[in-house]
Every structure is written in C-alpha cells, then in structure tokens.
Amino acid sequence: MRIYAILLVVTLFSSAFSDETPGSYLLPRPLIIEYPSEIETTRHKKSDDEQVNLHCTSWRFAAETNNLSPWQTIPAECAEYVKDYVIGKGYTTDLERVSEEASIFASSVEFSGDGKDIWIFDIDETLLSNLPYYIDHGFGLELFDHSEFDKWVERGVAPAITPSLKLYQRVVDLGYKVILLTGRKESHRLVTVENLINAGFQNWDKLILRSLDEQHKMATAYKSEKRDEMVKEGYRIRGNSGDQWSDLLGSSMSQRSFKLANPMYYIP
Amino acid sequence: MRIYAILLVVTLFSSAFSDETPGSYLLPRPLIIEYPSEIETTRHKKSDDEQVNLHCTSWRFAAETNNLSPWQTIPAECAEYVKDYVIGKGYTTDLERVSEEASIFASSVEFSGDGKDIWIFDIDETLLSNLPYYIDHGFGLELFDHSEFDKWVERGVAPAITPSLKLYQRVVDLGYKVILLTGRKESHRLVTVENLINAGFQNWDKLILRSLDEQHKMATAYKSEKRDEMVKEGYRIRGNSGDQWSDLLGSSMSQRSFKLANPMYYIP
C-alpha cells in the first residue's frame, strides 16, 4: 500500500511539475529511479526477516514443547529473535498468560482442608528473573559459565517475575502449602532467601536446594525424588510451576503442570 | 522509514513547486493532509494486528505447552490467526521440525536387536491430516460435531502429513516395531487401514483402536493403559509421536515424546 502511495505522490507531482515547468523534467528522475531500488532492498530484507522469524518461532515452539534434544546454546541465527522476544512484549505476555491459567486452576481445586495440598515453584526463571545476567551474556548465545552465573546469584539482586509473584500470592492466600524446589545449591541458601524476600516472596513452607551429594544428578531425577518424598509423606501435589520440563516431568508429577517460557537455556 | 520517504517527496516537491508556481500553493495541501491520516489508519490497523498476533501467539504457546484448561473451541479473536498459521508456512515448518527432531532421536537409539523397541504414532493430526475437514469447519472455531466428523472419517480420504510420513518410513527402516494407537473407534478399522495405506503408510505392527467399552474413557487413561500393556509385555517404548498431550502423558511414558502442533482442537 505504501509503495503505491509513494508512486502516486511521485506521479501526481511529476505531472503537475512537468505541466508547470516543462524545462526541469529531469529533476524527479533520480527520485523515481531510486525509490523502487530502495523498496526492493526493503522487500528482500523483509522476506529474509520473515524467514528468520518463521524458523526461530518454530525453533522456540520445538524448545517449549520439549521436542529438541538437549541444547547448550540458542541457535546463532536466532540471537536477535530471542533478544527481541525476551526484552519485548512476547515474553511478558507469555508469562502473564501462564500465571493467569495457573491461578484459574489453583482457585478451582476443591480443598479437603487437611493442609496436604501443595504447590511447587521452581526459582530461576520461574519466581526470580536472571534476565539482567542474560542481557550481559547474549541471551543464551554464550555457553553457560557456572562461575560467572554463581557470582550473579551471590549478588542476590534477581528481580521477581511479576506475574509469578501474583500467582504466588494467590496460591498462598488460597491456603496451599508452598514448596520451593530449586537446582540452586545448598551453599546459596542464605542469599536465595534474602533475594526472594527482597523480591516480595514470603510464607513458603519449605525451600529445597541441592545438597552436595545431589550435584551430579540430572535435574529431572533430583526433582522427581523430592516429589516422591512429598507424595510418600501424604502430600497431594496440585500444581507445579517451572520454566524447564525437568521441573515438571518424571515421577510423582503434579495434577497440573505449568510451563513458563524460557528460550534462553535448557536444563536436562 | 517509508513515512519519512513520503514526507520527503512531498517536501521536495512542495518547495520546488512553490518556487516555480507561487500562485498554486494550495494544490499540495490536501495531499499533505490526507496522507498522514491514511498512514495513521494503517498504523492503527498495524498496531491492532500486532496486538492480536501477540495475544494469539501467546494463546497458541499456552495450548502447545499444555498450560490451558481443557478448551472446546479456539478463541474467536484468533480465528484468522489460526487459519493463517495452519494454511500458511507456520504449521508446515513446525511439522517438519518435529519430524526432523524425532528422526535424529530415532537414529540415535542403540538397538539391542531383540525386536522389543517400539515407536507409537497417533493417527489424526499426527499421521493423517484432517485439515480438509477443518477448512470447512472454521479451523476449530465451531464446536466439534461427532457425526459430521465421523462422515469425514468414513470417506477415508485424509491426506498424509508429509513430514510424518518421512519420519514413519525412517522409523520402520531403522527396525522399530510401529504401533498405531488412536482414539478412533474399532468400527472405523477398515476405513482407517485403507486411508493409511492410500496415504502411503505400511508395515505397522499393530493398530489399536477404541473398543466399545473404552468409548467413555479419557484419552490419557485409554492410551496409558495401552502403553502399560506394552511395557508389561516387555516392550521398550522409545518414541511417541502425537498432536495431543493426552497421546503423550500419563503412565508408561516413552523415552522421548514428540508433540506435533495442533492449534485447532484439544482432547483431554
């Protein structure tokens, strides 16, 4: 449409111009010649952009639906796409949606009132956002650096994921027991507690971190074992919120699981 | 950029025009006034489109990651979005991706050679496409009509999902036992077999359809029970391809599951 608009303006002005000033008919020429070429470039660029967008959306879907083999970094060609998604509206919209859906479900569960209904939350990219770290580390394009990430964790300044804080408060208000089950190590307990409280999270029932002898375990196994224990103790796992499938799959799965978006990294 | 281009053309021509023909300064005015208004409309429309696109992409993600409560129809505001996705490149790209990922995994499994490694395929929207039916029924906007859909199934003309046929052939060639596990009813066995063969599918080991007394069961329970039996018989379920989470979740889950895209309907 806009291409036609430009050509229309050029044409209208050309004829008006040539009628009134017959001697200067050459003047509009560069404009007429230059514009289509610029439009052509824009069109090619648009077509390339569309291809990348299609490819990277498809990659993101495959990642979010757990169709990919374990991956260590995001595809290089999707670096800009992932950046635009996480710092743009897409990520926020997705996080709000999953919070709302979880909240609807949490409210719909009929409570027995024996205090055995629990909701599990993962921490990183579920309650707390490490986006400030990933902004400085290529949004998942760089290989994960444990010691660099540990330094970030130890600063204890990760902000809350606002829609998750809303869900968290709703779940606490509804009377669920809240269990925080994280892959963070036991030595980070204090800084994690401080960070959570400063970010607005309170009143959890238990915070489970990895002990030294659990460091080698795959996340799916470690988290499944912890859920198995809860079930053995007679708890009913009603909801489970996590950004990794390893937070959600395995044994003693919850009644409903909620997968938060995370296109930046994968934990098996 | 283009807006500036138009204004630049207008400005260039206006000044040239007014220099040469001082009396006709009023002529370009309507053009200058009208164009921004047209651009404004386009901009608003674009902004509305972007909002709908954002909202519906987020809905699709929530659906594909199993974050939604059971839903009966697609959201009315996403009707055009879903149509564009399934008849455009998005759906095909996603189906190709999941086929490729599954194929990579299938090839990576180390076989014991005892003939106990199996791959399960769902049928509708996994091997066979009912898109011709959904094109005539609002792409999921209409409430599901069992008798209308049965008539379509009984015609036996559902085309193959090409990327799935490619995966299917690869899986057969690799030596997996192939089990087709479908929610279709036993009375549709003959037409289903004919349809599958005409669409290019051959050499499956078993086709499991719902018997009369299984009609009332939820898909997750029905399919889990069938998988339980396979495991009891000593089979190792290596891969499972389905467009519904009820094809993939429950008991005796496969080593790797592959979720094909389906934004048109949900089976609990």
Side-chain angles (χ1 to χ4, degrees), chain A residues 3-18:
Chain A
I3 295 163
Y4 293 123
I6 294 168
L7 292 178
L8 182 68
V9 174
V10 171
T11 312
L12 279 169
F13 275 89
S14 301
S15 61
F17 200 84
S18 59

Side-chain angles (χ1 to χ4, degrees), chain A residues 8 58 61 67 94 259, chain B residues 35 58 60-61 67 94 259:
Chain A
L8 182 68
S58 195
F61 261 78
N67 285 339
D94 286 342
K259 169 71 177 75
Chain B
Y35 273 94
S58 195
R60 186 159 67 90
F61 261 77
N67 285 340
D94 286 342
K259 170 70 178 76

Side-chain angles (χ1 to χ4, degrees), chain B residues 181-246:
Chain B
L181 176 51
T182 173
R184 287 188 176 197
K185 44 196 178 186
E186 193 59 54
S187 58
H188 284 154
R189 180 177 288 273
L190 272 180
V191 74
T192 300
V193 168
E194 265 182 35
N195 196 153
L196 283 165
I197 288 169
N198 289 336
F201 297 95
Q202 293 170 42
N203 299 318
W204 59 82
D205 287 89
K206 206 171 178 180
L207 165 60
I208 306 173
L209 303 102
R210 265 184 208 258
S211 64
L212 256 181
D213 60 317
E214 285 166 336
Q215 302 288 338
H216 67 284
K217 285 183 186 165
M218 301 285 264
T220 311
Y222 156 68
K223 295 202 167 183
S224 289
E225 284 169 22
K226 298 298 171 188
R227 285 197 305 271
D228 290 346
E229 288 169 23
M230 298 172 206
V231 171
K232 245 183 244 164
E233 289 166 23
Y235 289 105
R236 292 175 292 268
I237 307 174
R238 299 300 199 165
N240 187 2
S241 298
D243 65 295
Q244 299 290 324
W245 282 100
S246 54

Side-chain angles (χ1 to χ4, degrees), chain A residues 1-6 8-10 12-14 16-17 20-21 24 27-28 31 35 38-39 42-43 46 51 54-55 57-62 64-70 75 81 85 89-90 93-95 97-98 101-102 104-105 245 249-250 253 256-261, chain B residues 1-6 8-10 12-14 16-17 20-21 24 27-28 31-32 35 38-39 42-43 46 51 54-55 57-62 64-70 81 85 89-90 93-95 97-98 101-102 104-105 245 249-250 253 256-261:
Chain A
M1 277 301 287
R2 283 183 192 163
I3 295 163
Y4 293 123
I6 294 168
L8 182 68
V9 174
V10 171
L12 279 169
F13 275 89
S14 301
F17 200 84
E20 306 281 330
T21 59
S24 54
L27 207 150
L31 290 168
Y35 274 92
E38 186 179 294
I39 289 160
T42 317
R43 200 185 288 158
K46 208 183 158 200
Q51 278 300 317
L54 192 68
H55 166 74
T57 303
S58 195
W59 172 80
R60 186 160 66 91
F61 261 78
E64 294 295 357
T65 51
N66 207 24
N67 285 339
L68 300 182
S69 302
Y81 173 92
Y85 168 73
K89 288 180 191 164
T93 307
D94 286 342
L95 293 173
R97 178 102 214 186
V98 67
E101 295 294 336
I104 292 168
F105 170 71
W245 282 101
L249 296 177
M253 281 167 60
R256 280 276 300 272
S257 291
F258 296 92
K259 169 71 177 75
L260 281 78
Chain B
M1 277 301 285
R2 282 183 193 162
I3 295 162
Y4 293 123
I6 294 167
L8 182 68
V9 174
V10 171
L12 279 170
F13 275 89
S14 301
F17 202 82
E20 307 281 332
T21 58
S24 54
L27 207 151
L31 290 169
I32 294 170
Y35 273 94
E38 186 179 294
I39 290 161
T42 317
R43 200 186 284 159
K46 207 183 159 198
Q51 278 301 317
L54 192 68
H55 166 74
T57 303
S58 195
W59 172 80
R60 186 159 67 90
F61 261 77
E64 294 294 357
T65 51
N66 207 24
N67 285 340
L68 300 183
S69 302
Y81 173 92
Y85 169 73
K89 287 180 191 165
T93 307
D94 286 342
L95 293 173
R97 178 103 213 187
V98 67
E101 296 294 336
I104 291 167
F105 170 70
W245 282 100
L249 295 178
M253 281 167 59
R256 279 277 302 271
S257 292
F258 296 92
K259 170 70 178 76
L260 282 77

Side-chain angles (χ1 to χ4, degrees), chain A residues 11-258:
Chain A
T11 312
L12 279 169
F13 275 89
S14 301
S15 61
F17 200 84
S18 59
D19 282 346
E20 306 281 330
T21 59
S24 54
Y25 66 92
L26 282 173
L27 207 150
R29 283 224 163 184
L31 290 168
I32 294 169
I33 294 160
E34 277 168 23
Y35 274 92
S37 117
E38 186 179 294
I39 289 160
E40 207 46 45
T41 314
T42 317
R43 200 185 288 158
H44 273 152
K45 201 182 166 312
K46 208 183 158 200
S47 160
D48 288 352
D49 286 354
E50 275 169 10
Q51 278 300 317
V52 170
N53 195 56
L54 192 68
H55 166 74
C56 296
T57 303
S58 195
W59 172 80
R60 186 160 66 91
F61 261 78
E64 294 295 357
T65 51
N66 207 24
N67 285 339
L68 300 182
S69 302
W71 48 279
Q72 295 197 298
T73 58
I74 62 172
E77 68 276 17
C78 298
E80 275 301 306
Y81 173 92
V82 170
K83 179 184 167 186
D84 290 349
Y85 168 73
V86 291
I87 65 174
K89 288 180 191 164
Y91 185 43
T92 310
T93 307
D94 286 342
L95 293 173
E96 282 166 358
R97 178 102 214 186
V98 67
S99 163
E100 284 157 20
E101 295 294 336
S103 187
I104 292 168
F105 170 71
S107 313
S108 78
V109 174
E110 285 182 23
F111 274 66
S112 61
D114 61 359
K116 291 284 192 183
D117 297 284
I118 66 179
W119 196 287
I120 301 174
F121 287 97
D122 165 58
I123 294 182
D124 293 296
E125 267 54 68
T126 299
L127 297 185
L128 297 178
S129 172
N130 298 304
L131 206 48
Y133 176 85
Y134 282 95
I135 285 172
D136 289 339
H137 292 84
F139 301 92
L141 192 62
E142 291 178 18
L143 257 182
F144 186 71
D145 182 329
H146 283 276
S147 90
E148 274 296 297
F149 188 73
D150 275 2
K151 279 185 210 160
W152 157 257
V153 166
E154 284 154 18
R155 286 177 55 202
V157 293
I161 291 180
T162 317
S164 295
L165 179 55
K166 202 174 158 189
L167 169 67
Y168 181 96
Q169 284 166 333
R170 178 92 184 123
V171 161
V172 169
D173 290 348
L174 284 165
Y176 288 90
K177 277 200 190 305
V178 169
I179 311 288
L180 310 185
L181 178 51
T182 173
R184 288 187 175 198
K185 44 195 177 184
E186 193 59 54
S187 58
H188 283 153
R189 179 177 288 274
L190 272 180
V191 74
T192 300
V193 168
E194 264 182 35
N195 195 153
L196 284 165
I197 288 171
N198 289 336
F201 298 96
Q202 294 170 42
N203 299 317
W204 59 81
D205 287 90
K206 206 170 178 182
L207 166 60
I208 306 172
L209 302 102
R210 264 184 208 259
S211 63
L212 257 180
D213 60 316
E214 286 166 336
Q215 303 288 338
H216 67 283
K217 284 183 187 165
M218 300 286 263
T220 310
Y222 157 67
K223 295 203 167 184
S224 289
E225 284 169 23
K226 297 298 170 188
R227 286 196 305 270
D228 290 346
E229 288 170 24
M230 297 173 206
V231 171
K232 246 182 241 164
E233 290 167 23
Y235 288 104
R236 292 176 289 271
I237 307 174
R238 299 301 200 163
N240 187 1
S241 299
D243 64 295
Q244 299 290 324
W245 282 101
S246 54
D247 297 328
L248 310 173
L249 296 177
S251 52
S252 302
M253 281 167 60
S254 64
Q255 188 178 339
R256 280 276 300 272
S257 291
F258 296 92

